[in-house]
């Protein structure tokens, strides 16, 4: 079994992207793509040359086969994606917009991935990975998936592996905002690296500024907090240093979905290569900026050469 640079888990879905702008109920032609916050990160890191693996369940259906095929085509190990004969693969519809955020409708209740459970956890497989990336989405889709997440987190911490956590808040999936905040924070505080967006941080901590949001998690034992500020860049804080890293201004924003996952790709790749915090964030900002320039969630994620070129162009003096 080859050593994995990063492992992640969650729900991958088939995504139908509208071929033209307009309300979803008026669209008659769609293009099929792969969707999922965790798969975006796995794909992004694979494109940069890292060994990545995605763990999940899919149904014994066309969508499930499509997901496995797309993961493999994009360099992600999918041997941890198991076929569940009893439940279907989830899917979603995504509108095309000329400005702003697209409309997304999910069809995922009772999906195969929502039946992920602790019995599906493979210790040997996870022990072979250097880094675990988590998001808040598996915590929301079912109690059993949440228990799987805690099993994975506890195990990786016991093996002294590094762990990153991106809230990826999906309020519609939770019973209440109170439950969402309590559960997300429970997991975030167990991670080494926490990557909230500013609005997410305000919701989760009750604080208004990036500095206070970061302090909230640092006080709980997190090593590094990076608050994403969109095109303004990001704020970071550790026990020893803090600061802002400017973002990349994008003149033509096509679709914002996937930008936050792209940011995580940059940060994790920098972490795996032992880069400085500042250089990790520069990578994150660059990939996030590239991501918003295409309709697909991860279509414009770069290769290592493309990333280096983009950073050189937009960050003078940074390689």
């Amino acid at each position: 079994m080859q050593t994995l640079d990063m492992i992640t888990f969650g729900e991958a879905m088939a995504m139908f992207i509208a071929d033209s702008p307009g309300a979803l109920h008026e669209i008659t032609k769609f293009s099929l793509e792969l969707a999922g916050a965790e798969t975006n990160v796995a794909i992004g890191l694979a494109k940069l040359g890292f060994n990545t693996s995605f763990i999940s369940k899919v149904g014994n259906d066309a969508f499930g086969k499509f997901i496995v095929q797309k993961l493999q085509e994009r360099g992600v190990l999918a041997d941890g994606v198991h076929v569940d004969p009893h439940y279907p693969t989830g899917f979603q519809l995504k509108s095309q917009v000329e400005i702003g955020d697209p409309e997304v409708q999910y069809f995922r209740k009772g999906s195969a991935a929502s039946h992920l459970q602790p019995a599906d956890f493979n210790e040997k497989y996870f022990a072979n990975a250097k880094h675990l990336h988590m998001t808040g989405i598996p915590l929301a889709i079912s109690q059993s998936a949440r228990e799987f997440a805690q099993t994975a987190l506890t195990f990786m911490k016991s093996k002294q592996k590094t762990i990153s956590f991106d809230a990826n808040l999906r309020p519609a999936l939770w019973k209440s905002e109170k439950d969402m905040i309590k559960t997300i924070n429970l997991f975030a505080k167990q991670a080494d690296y926490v990557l909230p967006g500013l609005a997410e941080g305000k919701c989760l901590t009750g604080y208004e500024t990036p500095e206070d949001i970061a302090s909230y998690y640092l006080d709980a034992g997190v090593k590094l907090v990076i608050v994403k500020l969109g095109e303004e860049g990001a704020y970071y804080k550790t026990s020893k240093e803090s600061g802002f890293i400017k973002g990349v201004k994008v003149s033509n924003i096509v679709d914002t979905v996937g930008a936050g996952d792209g940011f995580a790709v940059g940060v994790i790749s920098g972490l795996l290569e032992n880069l400085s915090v500042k250089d990790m964030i520069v990578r994150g900002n660059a990939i996030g900026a590239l991501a918003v320039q295409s309709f697909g969630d991860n279509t414009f994620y770069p290769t290592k050469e493309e990333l280096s070129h983009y950073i050189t162009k937009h960050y003078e003096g940074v390689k």
Side-chain angles (χ1 to χ4, degrees), residues 246-273:
K246 69 174 184 177
V248 178
K249 301 293 183 181
V250 176
S251 58
N252 183 32
I253 297 177
V254 175
D255 185 341
T256 57
V257 178
D261 301 325
F263 186 91
V265 170
V267 170
I268 296 168
S269 70
L271 171 67
L272 291 169
E273 293 182 7

PDB file of all heavy atoms in Angstrom, residues 246-273:
ATOM      1  N   LYS A 246      -2.608  39.538   1.466  1.00  0.00           N
ATOM      2  CA  LYS A 246      -3.523  40.086   0.466  1.00  0.00           C
ATOM      3  C   LYS A 246      -3.997  39.013  -0.505  1.00  0.00           C
ATOM      4  O   LYS A 246      -3.308  38.028  -0.773  1.00  0.00           O
ATOM      5  CB  LYS A 246      -2.850  41.216  -0.314  1.00  0.00           C
ATOM      6  CG  LYS A 246      -1.734  40.746  -1.239  1.00  0.00           C
ATOM      7  CD  LYS A 246      -1.205  41.898  -2.092  1.00  0.00           C
ATOM      8  CE  LYS A 246      -0.141  41.382  -3.082  1.00  0.00           C
ATOM      9  NZ  LYS A 246       0.356  42.450  -3.976  1.00  0.00           N
ATOM     10  N   GLY A 247      -5.188  39.221  -1.051  1.00  0.00           N
ATOM     11  CA  GLY A 247      -5.735  38.298  -2.028  1.00  0.00           C
ATOM     12  C   GLY A 247      -5.401  38.713  -3.448  1.00  0.00           C
ATOM     13  O   GLY A 247      -4.688  39.694  -3.674  1.00  0.00           O
ATOM     14  N   VAL A 248      -5.895  37.935  -4.392  1.00  0.00           N
ATOM     15  CA  VAL A 248      -5.717  38.234  -5.807  1.00  0.00           C
ATOM     16  C   VAL A 248      -7.025  38.797  -6.347  1.00  0.00           C
ATOM     17  O   VAL A 248      -8.077  38.167  -6.223  1.00  0.00           O
ATOM     18  CB  VAL A 248      -5.336  36.968  -6.607  1.00  0.00           C
ATOM     19  CG1 VAL A 248      -5.201  37.292  -8.096  1.00  0.00           C
ATOM     20  CG2 VAL A 248      -4.037  36.369  -6.076  1.00  0.00           C
ATOM     21  N   LYS A 249      -6.984  39.978  -6.898  1.00  0.00           N
ATOM     22  CA  LYS A 249      -8.181  40.591  -7.468  1.00  0.00           C
ATOM     23  C   LYS A 249      -8.536  39.893  -8.784  1.00  0.00           C
ATOM     24  O   LYS A 249      -7.697  39.752  -9.665  1.00  0.00           O
ATOM     25  CB  LYS A 249      -7.959  42.078  -7.723  1.00  0.00           C
ATOM     26  CG  LYS A 249      -7.608  42.884  -6.473  1.00  0.00           C
ATOM     27  CD  LYS A 249      -8.770  42.942  -5.499  1.00  0.00           C
ATOM     28  CE  LYS A 249      -8.429  43.820  -4.289  1.00  0.00           C
ATOM     29  NZ  LYS A 249      -9.521  43.877  -3.302  1.00  0.00           N
ATOM     30  N   VAL A 250      -9.773  39.453  -8.904  1.00  0.00           N
ATOM     31  CA  VAL A 250     -10.241  38.773 -10.110  1.00  0.00           C
ATOM     32  C   VAL A 250     -11.306  39.649 -10.772  1.00  0.00           C
ATOM     33  O   VAL A 250     -12.317  39.981 -10.155  1.00  0.00           O
ATOM     34  CB  VAL A 250     -10.834  37.387  -9.774  1.00  0.00           C
ATOM     35  CG1 VAL A 250     -11.397  36.728 -11.026  1.00  0.00           C
ATOM     36  CG2 VAL A 250      -9.766  36.504  -9.138  1.00  0.00           C
ATOM     37  N   SER A 251     -11.074  40.000 -12.009  1.00  0.00           N
ATOM     38  CA  SER A 251     -11.995  40.909 -12.704  1.00  0.00           C
ATOM     39  C   SER A 251     -13.251  40.214 -13.208  1.00  0.00           C
ATOM     40  O   SER A 251     -14.317  40.808 -13.301  1.00  0.00           O
ATOM     41  CB  SER A 251     -11.280  41.579 -13.884  1.00  0.00           C
ATOM     42  OG  SER A 251     -10.768  40.608 -14.784  1.00  0.00           O
ATOM     43  N   ASN A 252     -13.137  38.905 -13.511  1.00  0.00           N
ATOM     44  CA  ASN A 252     -14.281  38.182 -14.065  1.00  0.00           C
ATOM     45  C   ASN A 252     -14.600  36.961 -13.209  1.00  0.00           C
ATOM     46  O   ASN A 252     -14.105  35.863 -13.472  1.00  0.00           O
ATOM     47  CB  ASN A 252     -14.000  37.762 -15.510  1.00  0.00           C
ATOM     48  CG  ASN A 252     -15.189  37.066 -16.152  1.00  0.00           C
ATOM     49  OD1 ASN A 252     -16.338  37.379 -15.841  1.00  0.00           O
ATOM     50  ND2 ASN A 252     -14.920  36.111 -17.027  1.00  0.00           N
ATOM     51  N   ILE A 253     -15.429  37.156 -12.176  1.00  0.00           N
ATOM     52  CA  ILE A 253     -15.817  36.039 -11.303  1.00  0.00           C
ATOM     53  C   ILE A 253     -16.990  35.301 -11.942  1.00  0.00           C
ATOM     54  O   ILE A 253     -18.064  35.854 -12.117  1.00  0.00           O
ATOM     55  CB  ILE A 253     -16.208  36.550  -9.903  1.00  0.00           C
ATOM     56  CG1 ILE A 253     -14.998  37.221  -9.241  1.00  0.00           C
ATOM     57  CG2 ILE A 253     -16.722  35.403  -9.044  1.00  0.00           C
ATOM     58  CD1 ILE A 253     -15.296  37.822  -7.882  1.00  0.00           C
ATOM     59  N   VAL A 254     -16.762  34.043 -12.279  1.00  0.00           N
ATOM     60  CA  VAL A 254     -17.766  33.240 -12.973  1.00  0.00           C
ATOM     61  C   VAL A 254     -18.618  32.442 -11.989  1.00  0.00           C
ATOM     62  O   VAL A 254     -19.837  32.381 -12.104  1.00  0.00           O
ATOM     63  CB  VAL A 254     -17.076  32.281 -13.976  1.00  0.00           C
ATOM     64  CG1 VAL A 254     -18.098  31.352 -14.628  1.00  0.00           C
ATOM     65  CG2 VAL A 254     -16.331  33.082 -15.051  1.00  0.00           C
ATOM     66  N   ASP A 255     -17.977  31.815 -10.995  1.00  0.00           N
ATOM     67  CA  ASP A 255     -18.681  30.923 -10.067  1.00  0.00           C
ATOM     68  C   ASP A 255     -17.823  30.777  -8.825  1.00  0.00           C
ATOM     69  O   ASP A 255     -16.675  30.347  -8.906  1.00  0.00           O
ATOM     70  CB  ASP A 255     -18.896  29.563 -10.752  1.00  0.00           C
ATOM     71  CG  ASP A 255     -19.733  28.597  -9.928  1.00  0.00           C
ATOM     72  OD1 ASP A 255     -19.863  28.803  -8.713  1.00  0.00           O
ATOM     73  OD2 ASP A 255     -20.242  27.626 -10.506  1.00  0.00           O
ATOM     74  N   THR A 256     -18.376  31.127  -7.663  1.00  0.00           N
ATOM     75  CA  THR A 256     -17.581  31.123  -6.432  1.00  0.00           C
ATOM     76  C   THR A 256     -17.468  29.749  -5.774  1.00  0.00           C
ATOM     77  O   THR A 256     -16.640  29.550  -4.880  1.00  0.00           O
ATOM     78  CB  THR A 256     -18.192  32.090  -5.411  1.00  0.00           C
ATOM     79  OG1 THR A 256     -19.563  31.722  -5.173  1.00  0.00           O
ATOM     80  CG2 THR A 256     -18.138  33.519  -5.923  1.00  0.00           C
ATOM     81  N   VAL A 257     -18.297  28.792  -6.197  1.00  0.00           N
ATOM     82  CA  VAL A 257     -18.261  27.460  -5.587  1.00  0.00           C
ATOM     83  C   VAL A 257     -16.918  26.793  -5.876  1.00  0.00           C
ATOM     84  O   VAL A 257     -16.460  26.760  -7.014  1.00  0.00           O
ATOM     85  CB  VAL A 257     -19.410  26.581  -6.111  1.00  0.00           C
ATOM     86  CG1 VAL A 257     -19.327  25.183  -5.505  1.00  0.00           C
ATOM     87  CG2 VAL A 257     -20.753  27.210  -5.778  1.00  0.00           C
ATOM     88  N   GLY A 258     -16.293  26.251  -4.842  1.00  0.00           N
ATOM     89  CA  GLY A 258     -15.001  25.585  -5.002  1.00  0.00           C
ATOM     90  C   GLY A 258     -13.822  26.457  -4.620  1.00  0.00           C
ATOM     91  O   GLY A 258     -12.694  25.964  -4.503  1.00  0.00           O
ATOM     92  N   ALA A 259     -14.061  27.758  -4.404  1.00  0.00           N
ATOM     93  CA  ALA A 259     -12.959  28.656  -4.049  1.00  0.00           C
ATOM     94  C   ALA A 259     -12.388  28.324  -2.672  1.00  0.00           C
ATOM     95  O   ALA A 259     -11.171  28.289  -2.476  1.00  0.00           O
ATOM     96  CB  ALA A 259     -13.428  30.102  -4.094  1.00  0.00           C
ATOM     97  N   GLY A 260     -13.282  28.094  -1.706  1.00  0.00           N
ATOM     98  CA  GLY A 260     -12.825  27.762  -0.361  1.00  0.00           C
ATOM     99  C   GLY A 260     -12.080  26.442  -0.317  1.00  0.00           C
ATOM    100  O   GLY A 260     -11.079  26.299   0.405  1.00  0.00           O
ATOM    101  N   ASP A 261     -12.546  25.467  -1.094  1.00  0.00           N
ATOM    102  CA  ASP A 261     -11.858  24.175  -1.161  1.00  0.00           C
ATOM    103  C   ASP A 261     -10.497  24.354  -1.834  1.00  0.00           C
ATOM    104  O   ASP A 261      -9.514  23.718  -1.451  1.00  0.00           O
ATOM    105  CB  ASP A 261     -12.695  23.167  -1.943  1.00  0.00           C
ATOM    106  CG  ASP A 261     -14.072  22.952  -1.324  1.00  0.00           C
ATOM    107  OD1 ASP A 261     -14.178  22.982  -0.085  1.00  0.00           O
ATOM    108  OD2 ASP A 261     -15.043  22.767  -2.087  1.00  0.00           O
ATOM    109  N   GLY A 262     -10.451  25.216  -2.849  1.00  0.00           N
ATOM    110  CA  GLY A 262      -9.181  25.509  -3.502  1.00  0.00           C
ATOM    111  C   GLY A 262      -8.199  26.148  -2.533  1.00  0.00           C
ATOM    112  O   GLY A 262      -7.002  25.855  -2.558  1.00  0.00           O
ATOM    113  N   PHE A 263      -8.710  27.027  -1.679  1.00  0.00           N
ATOM    114  CA  PHE A 263      -7.869  27.638  -0.650  1.00  0.00           C
ATOM    115  C   PHE A 263      -7.272  26.551   0.243  1.00  0.00           C
ATOM    116  O   PHE A 263      -6.081  26.574   0.558  1.00  0.00           O
ATOM    117  CB  PHE A 263      -8.694  28.616   0.181  1.00  0.00           C
ATOM    118  CG  PHE A 263      -7.884  29.393   1.177  1.00  0.00           C
ATOM    119  CD1 PHE A 263      -7.326  30.613   0.839  1.00  0.00           C
ATOM    120  CD2 PHE A 263      -7.684  28.896   2.458  1.00  0.00           C
ATOM    121  CE1 PHE A 263      -6.561  31.324   1.762  1.00  0.00           C
ATOM    122  CE2 PHE A 263      -6.929  29.600   3.388  1.00  0.00           C
ATOM    123  CZ  PHE A 263      -6.364  30.819   3.034  1.00  0.00           C
ATOM    124  N   ALA A 264      -8.104  25.587   0.637  1.00  0.00           N
ATOM    125  CA  ALA A 264      -7.623  24.488   1.479  1.00  0.00           C
ATOM    126  C   ALA A 264      -6.540  23.688   0.769  1.00  0.00           C
ATOM    127  O   ALA A 264      -5.567  23.250   1.400  1.00  0.00           O
ATOM    128  CB  ALA A 264      -8.790  23.574   1.866  1.00  0.00           C
ATOM    129  N   VAL A 265      -6.695  23.495  -0.536  1.00  0.00           N
ATOM    130  CA  VAL A 265      -5.679  22.781  -1.319  1.00  0.00           C
ATOM    131  C   VAL A 265      -4.331  23.484  -1.196  1.00  0.00           C
ATOM    132  O   VAL A 265      -3.294  22.848  -0.971  1.00  0.00           O
ATOM    133  CB  VAL A 265      -6.095  22.694  -2.808  1.00  0.00           C
ATOM    134  CG1 VAL A 265      -4.931  22.171  -3.660  1.00  0.00           C
ATOM    135  CG2 VAL A 265      -7.303  21.788  -2.981  1.00  0.00           C
ATOM    136  N   GLY A 266      -4.346  24.814  -1.346  1.00  0.00           N
ATOM    137  CA  GLY A 266      -3.101  25.566  -1.248  1.00  0.00           C
ATOM    138  C   GLY A 266      -2.462  25.454   0.119  1.00  0.00           C
ATOM    139  O   GLY A 266      -1.245  25.231   0.245  1.00  0.00           O
ATOM    140  N   VAL A 267      -3.272  25.586   1.163  1.00  0.00           N
ATOM    141  CA  VAL A 267      -2.753  25.515   2.530  1.00  0.00           C
ATOM    142  C   VAL A 267      -2.193  24.126   2.836  1.00  0.00           C
ATOM    143  O   VAL A 267      -1.081  23.990   3.371  1.00  0.00           O
ATOM    144  CB  VAL A 267      -3.853  25.884   3.544  1.00  0.00           C
ATOM    145  CG1 VAL A 267      -3.401  25.583   4.973  1.00  0.00           C
ATOM    146  CG2 VAL A 267      -4.212  27.365   3.417  1.00  0.00           C
ATOM    147  N   ILE A 268      -2.949  23.091   2.503  1.00  0.00           N
ATOM    148  CA  ILE A 268      -2.500  21.721   2.804  1.00  0.00           C
ATOM    149  C   ILE A 268      -1.251  21.365   2.007  1.00  0.00           C
ATOM    150  O   ILE A 268      -0.329  20.733   2.526  1.00  0.00           O
ATOM    151  CB  ILE A 268      -3.630  20.713   2.530  1.00  0.00           C
ATOM    152  CG1 ILE A 268      -4.807  20.961   3.474  1.00  0.00           C
ATOM    153  CG2 ILE A 268      -3.128  19.277   2.709  1.00  0.00           C
ATOM    154  CD1 ILE A 268      -6.076  20.209   3.091  1.00  0.00           C
ATOM    155  N   SER A 269      -1.195  21.778   0.751  1.00  0.00           N
ATOM    156  CA  SER A 269      -0.006  21.486  -0.063  1.00  0.00           C
ATOM    157  C   SER A 269       1.223  22.152   0.546  1.00  0.00           C
ATOM    158  O   SER A 269       2.310  21.565   0.588  1.00  0.00           O
ATOM    159  CB  SER A 269      -0.208  21.951  -1.511  1.00  0.00           C
ATOM    160  OG  SER A 269      -0.212  23.368  -1.610  1.00  0.00           O
ATOM    161  N   GLY A 270       1.054  23.385   1.024  1.00  0.00           N
ATOM    162  CA  GLY A 270       2.154  24.081   1.666  1.00  0.00           C
ATOM    163  C   GLY A 270       2.574  23.413   2.963  1.00  0.00           C
ATOM    164  O   GLY A 270       3.759  23.306   3.282  1.00  0.00           O
ATOM    165  N   LEU A 271       1.588  22.938   3.700  1.00  0.00           N
ATOM    166  CA  LEU A 271       1.855  22.222   4.944  1.00  0.00           C
ATOM    167  C   LEU A 271       2.667  20.954   4.669  1.00  0.00           C
ATOM    168  O   LEU A 271       3.657  20.669   5.350  1.00  0.00           O
ATOM    169  CB  LEU A 271       0.532  21.860   5.623  1.00  0.00           C
ATOM    170  CG  LEU A 271       0.595  20.917   6.821  1.00  0.00           C
ATOM    171  CD1 LEU A 271       1.291  21.602   7.981  1.00  0.00           C
ATOM    172  CD2 LEU A 271      -0.807  20.479   7.219  1.00  0.00           C
ATOM    173  N   LEU A 272       2.262  20.202   3.654  1.00  0.00           N
ATOM    174  CA  LEU A 272       2.954  18.957   3.305  1.00  0.00           C
ATOM    175  C   LEU A 272       4.380  19.195   2.831  1.00  0.00           C
ATOM    176  O   LEU A 272       5.234  18.313   2.926  1.00  0.00           O
ATOM    177  CB  LEU A 272       2.164  18.206   2.236  1.00  0.00           C
ATOM    178  CG  LEU A 272       0.822  17.616   2.686  1.00  0.00           C
ATOM    179  CD1 LEU A 272       0.011  17.129   1.489  1.00  0.00           C
ATOM    180  CD2 LEU A 272       1.053  16.457   3.666  1.00  0.00           C
ATOM    181  N   GLU A 273       4.631  20.401   2.318  1.00  0.00           N
ATOM    182  CA  GLU A 273       5.974  20.740   1.835  1.00  0.00           C
ATOM    183  C   GLU A 273       6.744  21.599   2.839  1.00  0.00           C
ATOM    184  O   GLU A 273       7.812  22.136   2.513  1.00  0.00           O
ATOM    185  CB  GLU A 273       5.879  21.455   0.491  1.00  0.00           C
ATOM    186  CG  GLU A 273       5.358  20.567  -0.625  1.00  0.00           C
ATOM    187  CD  GLU A 273       5.305  21.272  -1.973  1.00  0.00           C
ATOM    188  OE1 GLU A 273       5.796  22.410  -2.085  1.00  0.00           O
ATOM    189  OE2 GLU A 273       4.769  20.679  -2.920  1.00  0.00           O
TER     190      GLU A 273
END
